[in-house]
Amino acid sequence: MSDELFGKIVLVTGAGSGIGLAASQLFADQGATVIAADINLVSAKLLASKIVDNGGQCEAIQVDIGDPVSVASLFHQIKQRYSRLDAAFNNAGISDAQFSWIDFPLEQWQRMIDVNLNGVFYCLREELKMMSEQDAVDGLRGQIVNTSSGAGLIPAPGQPHYTAAKHAVLGLTRSAAQDFSRQGIRVNSILPGLTETAMIVTQPQSMLDALAKMSPTGKLGQPIDVARVAVWLCSPAAQWVNGQAIVTDGGSLMH
Ligand SMILES: NC(=O)c1ccc[n+]([C@@H]2O[C@H](COP(=O)([O-])OP(=O)(O)OC[C@H]3O[C@@H](n4cnc5c(N)ncnc54)[C@H](O)[C@@H]3O)[C@@H](O)[C@H]2O)c1
């Protein structure tokens, strides 16, 4: 087990389930103090107590990343309780049904953009502010990873809102990396392929089986497969990786 993250303070959004949960456990296993933020405080608290019971350090905080006031409150609490923020995994997100473009429900459009795009921006700008004001350690002030999706490169059918938001996350990532590199802050994104989490369990099993068969690996991703990449990108070992979009899908997008 690497101890590169020992003593680091790490924020994970969407920590209560799926990829965020797996990443939080891995960060804690590697010695980081995890701030587990989620709109679902019950699941974040459950995760935090599991980590603490296993000898790790984790605190659950409720946030709705789609609400700038809620995000400001999250960072106010982080600043009050912790001396610094070494890494952030901006991972919380929502999925949605497929809709026709012609009568696309505007409230669905708005909520998707509020959470999957604006939410990343709200968190990112607080992180950049906090990190740029803290002392550098070995020339590094912070590492940030944003969760996009395969839909950040290839459109998800009937989901222009999800597709647009996930494409935009790549732009936000590169913009932040460009503007904050000189301050010792690295910003990258990961693009998971279909991963077995609560987000996809509502899909018909036959469709999931068909998609798994189409992957070169013959299977769907597991949360830990994606979490490992996110945790590595948040570690000092990845400090020469910057502004990148790392596809974490077992090779599905090769096709
Ligand atoms: N599972 C996949 O196949 C897949 C594929 C590509 C990208 N992704 C992306 O991965 C990320 C994590 O998804 P997952 O698959 O682990 O899903 P998940 O549903 O298991 O977990 C998402 C977590 O985000 C939290 N959340 C939702 N809205 C929130 C909000 N407004 N504020 C704070 N927390 C909120 C949920 O409560 C949940 O704990 C998402 O950004 C998703 O778009 C997932």
Side-chain angles (χ1 to χ4, degrees), residues 14 17 19 38-39 63-65 91 147-148 162 166 192-193 195 197:
S17 172
I19 295 166
D38 204 293
I39 197 167
V63 67
D64 175 359
I65 62 158
N91 161 78
T147 304
S148 175
Y162 188 81
K166 293 300 188 181
T195 308
T197 69

Side-chain angles (χ1 to χ4, degrees), residues 130-203:
M130 199 172 165
M131 287 173 177
S132 59
E133 287 171 354
Q134 64 197 16
D135 291 339
V137 176
D138 297 329
L140 201 59
R141 286 197 168 80
Q143 310 270 97
I144 300 175
V145 174
N146 300 318
T147 304
S148 175
S149 165
L153 294 177
I154 308 285
Q159 299 201 336
H161 53 344
Y162 188 81
T163 301
K166 293 300 188 181
H167 272 64
V169 167
L170 304 184
L172 273 185
T173 299
R174 293 163 71 172
S175 178
Q178 168 72 39
D179 291 345
F180 284 85
S181 293
R182 297 256 169 133
Q183 297 180 50
I185 300 172
R186 306 285 176 258
V187 190
N188 292 287
S189 49
I190 52 166
L191 292 74
L194 215 53
T195 308
E196 281 195 282
T197 69
M199 189 168 275
I200 66 162
V201 291
T202 53
Q203 303 297 325

